[in-house]
Amino acid sequence: MNIAVAQSGGPTCAINASLVGVFKEALKTPEIDAVFGSINGIEGMIKDELMDLKLVIRTNEDMELLRQTPSTVLGSCRYKLPAVETDDEVYKKIHENLTKHRIEAFFYIGGNDSMDTVDKLSAYLKSVGSDIKVIGIPKTIDNDLPVTDHTPGFGSAAKYVAATVQEIIRDSSVYSIESVTIVEIMGRHAGWLTASTCVLRANDEIAPHLIYLPECNFSAEKFLEDVRSMQAKHKAVIVAVSEGVKLPQDSKRPVAVDNFGHEYLSGIGKSLEQLVKDHIGCKVRSIELNVMQRCSSHICSKTDIDEAELIGSEGVKRALAGETGKMMVYKRLSDVPYVITIESAEASAVANKEKFFPRRWINDAQNDILPEAEKYFLPLIQGEVKIAMKNGMPVHFKLK
Ligand code: F6P
């Protein structure tokens, strides 16, 4: 038998580690012959753009480099399968291509939208009597997938964001004048990544002094009041804000959306910077961490990368055991010592759904994170990967 794997949605720096997990497990499994990589997610399965991965990932060194390479080596997509009742052409095409290449299991590494594909495709294949298995391997820096304790890619993004905010704190505190520095952090409508900046308190940082999540009520007036009261205590005020936080006036503006109807979010940092300029008038700067937070692998979390590889290999085992229409999930057994197991859940329980940051870990004023959240975040950012370097720079694996 052959298998195929694809990557989908926004990049992370652990998504290639999951690909390595799938690939290595296939190498260990005598009944698996070829491992095909589908280019640009499910689009590659539709267009029959597949690559024999054994021809391009040839050595252990290749696998090590791939593990430390951020983003998606096979490309990505934000392609939504139509409802099968209205249009089954694309499903027929995928089935035809899977059959043509003797692919008996398909692994889709992605987030909530990609699990929609896992759910729909597995249901279609079952409905036409096919025995081809479809398994979802989670990933997203947003950490917003239901059922799983956390998502591959999140720990590394959280480590990068916290380390960067710590550096921003050092830089912002050098002058004697008052200043406000606003850091805008990704995560869509879930505040996990922004909230994770609270881990800096474990290293005796007080900042970020204000943390705003999309899960909370937000207004310009309250923000300015919060900043003013922090300025009474701190010369340099540091603010962490989720990209999903909206000012009422911004909610009315038309915005571009992707194929799943998600708005392209960004700009709250700039809007808050303008507010501070107009109403407080001190030195103010906004910093959008932008794609760096999802593709910076030089300070990735070893825990995250190791787990991402493991969950990929567990996915292969589950498919061979006959499971389909499932997404692999982490179950946390304890925080200290940190112990997880890997199980599977129905992809339909994750598809198109979001898991929000818990209200019980947000303070009453809705502008900070409570210390209880630290025990959730800290294990996820532990450990450093020894990054292979060349000419003083990290080496990335590239498909030739
Ligand atoms: O879902 C991951 C994510 O990086 C979000 O945090 C962000 O809002 C979105 O993707 C950006 O989408 P795109 O990669 O299409 O610009």
Side-chain angles (χ1 to χ4, degrees), residues 10-11 78 140-142 186-188 243 264-265 294:
R78 292 206 187 268
T140 173
I141 62 159
D142 301 344
M186 276 183 168
R188 277 223 171 105
E243 62 173 3
Y264 291 109
L265 301 167
R294 63 183 194 187

Side-chain angles (χ1 to χ4, degrees), residues 12 26 29 41 96 123 126 129 137 143 165 172 185 199 213 236 238 253 266 277 279 288 322 333 336-337 344 356 394:
T12 78
T29 310
E96 190 183 304
K126 269 193 219 162
I137 313 289
N143 201 36
V165 170
S172 307
I185 298 163
V199 296
L213 312 186
I238 314 290
R253 266 192 229 131
S266 85
K277 253 184 211 151
H279 297 272
E288 190 183 330
L333 303 182
V336 187
S344 65
F356 297 106

Side-chain angles (χ1 to χ4, degrees), residues 159 298-303 381-387:
K159 189 172 176 121
H298 55 279
I299 186 169
C300 60
S301 153
K302 184 169 187 310
T303 300
I381 62 171
Q382 299 306 308
E384 289 73 47
V385 172
K386 177 135 184 38
I387 303 284

